[in-house]
Amino acid sequence: MEERRDALATLVDAALAIEKLRVAVQLRQSHLARQGRKDPETDELLRRLKDMEEYADGRVSDLIKHHPAYPWFSRVKGVGAENIAKVVAAIDIHKAPTISSLWKFSGRAPEDGHAPKRTRGEKLPYNSRLRAMTWRLGTSLLRARGKFYQKYLSYKDAYYQRFLNQGYRIVPASALPRDRNGRRYEAEGVISEGHIHNLALNKMIKLFEACLWLVWREAEGLPLTRPYAIDKLGHNSFIDPWEMVDR
């Protein structure tokens, strides 16, 4: 199991590095094409990078099938082999004794009521790659329109109602004013639709992480906290991860 975990982490690191380089080379190829130019070296490099990326992604797809939580997340619509591998490869479930510790590691534990932010000169209190990968997975869950998407809709409706009850005016992002630097901002008593979307999406991702934590820890025979901290999302009753599968 440990060898497979290490191999998966290595291949995921490689796949992400190759993807980043492939995108950069692809961008150069596009710039050259707009100038009416063609560079055989760039074309050949891109071809080889695509082959390497295909190999790495294929191996990741094979290895993820041996993950302890695979029987659960493989049945959730929107969870693909590559996107879930890039999430679990960054997590050592043995070092996450509680759901809240996983939320903190993924950058989803609020600090003083706000999302954690980068501070110049200070080490990040979370894993930025894991945060990015869980956000990418979250958008995939939305597109799949499965049970997690339905949770997102309920969270979004609840946020809308909460802000309306508090007297907020909800507006499209395009209606927000701009500051001196041209960045849009929310004036007092105003919140954008995009802000509410992000709040609901973040909450849905936290639910997925909570379910993943529970299934994974249980599969590895690790201690579980009770009550299962999933209900810290604000639910009055426990949400069984297996109730969130789509197939």
Side-chain angles (χ1 to χ4, degrees), residues 1 5 64-74 88 93-94 96 210-225 228 240-242:
M1 181 65 72
R5 184 182 296 116
I64 197 64
K65 294 175 183 177
H66 300 284
H67 192 276
Y70 180 81
W72 175 73
F73 59 63
S74 63
V88 299
I93 201 65
H94 296 263
C211 290
L212 174 65
W213 180 92
L214 179 58
V215 173
W216 191 350
R217 296 270 301 186
E218 191 171 39
E220 296 219 19
L222 297 171
L224 303 174
T225 52
Y228 302 137
D240 186 339
W242 294 97

Side-chain angles (χ1 to χ4, degrees), residues 73-234:
F73 59 63
S74 63
R75 297 174 59 190
V76 176
K77 288 181 67 175
V79 174
E82 292 172 34
N83 60 23
I84 190 62
K86 290 169 183 175
V87 168
V88 299
I91 300 170
D92 184 344
I93 201 65
H94 296 263
K95 295 181 179 179
T98 63
I99 289 173
S100 57
S101 64
L102 177 55
W103 286 342
K104 183 175 182 179
F105 185 59
S106 67
R108 304 205 176 278
E111 299 176 354
D112 299 325
H114 300 282
K117 294 182 179 180
R118 293 176 180 270
T119 302
R120 186 183 294 274
E122 292 185 13
K123 183 179 178 180
L124 282 174
Y126 60 89
N127 185 303
S128 59
R129 194 178 85 179
L130 178 57
R131 180 174 173 82
M133 292 302 104
T134 53
W135 194 264
R136 184 185 292 187
L137 174 62
T139 57
S140 180
L141 292 173
L142 291 189
R143 288 195 298 269
R145 295 179 176 267
K147 291 187 177 180
F148 277 93
Y149 173 72
Q150 296 303 318
K151 282 293 181 184
Y152 158 81
L153 292 179
S154 68
Y155 296 152
K156 187 176 178 181
D157 288 343
Y159 278 121
Y160 260 88
Q161 196 57 53
R162 179 194 301 181
F163 285 109
L164 288 174
N165 291 343
Q166 292 176 355
Y168 277 79
R169 188 162 60 90
I170 302 172
V171 301
S174 58
L176 295 174
R178 295 181 184 274
D179 61 17
R180 293 179 180 178
N181 297 315
R183 293 190 293 262
R184 295 191 183 276
Y185 68 94
E186 295 172 334
E188 186 176 351
V190 174
I191 188 168
S192 71
E193 294 172 345
H195 190 163
I196 292 178
H197 160 75
N198 287 340
L199 288 171
L201 177 54
N202 185 66
K203 192 168 184 177
M204 183 203 71
I205 293 171
K206 289 178 71 175
L207 173 62
F208 181 88
E209 288 183 359
C211 290
L212 174 65
W213 180 92
L214 179 58
V215 173
W216 191 350
R217 296 270 301 186
E218 191 171 39
E220 296 219 19
L222 297 171
L224 303 174
T225 52
R226 296 189 68 93
Y228 302 137
I230 295 177
D231 62 3
K232 288 183 180 178
L233 286 165

Side-chain angles (χ1 to χ4, degrees), residues 8 55-66 70 81-82 85:
L8 180 63
Y55 169 77
D57 288 343
R59 291 300 300 138
V60 165
S61 295
D62 289 338
L63 289 172
I64 197 64
K65 294 175 183 177
H66 300 284
Y70 180 81
E82 292 172 34

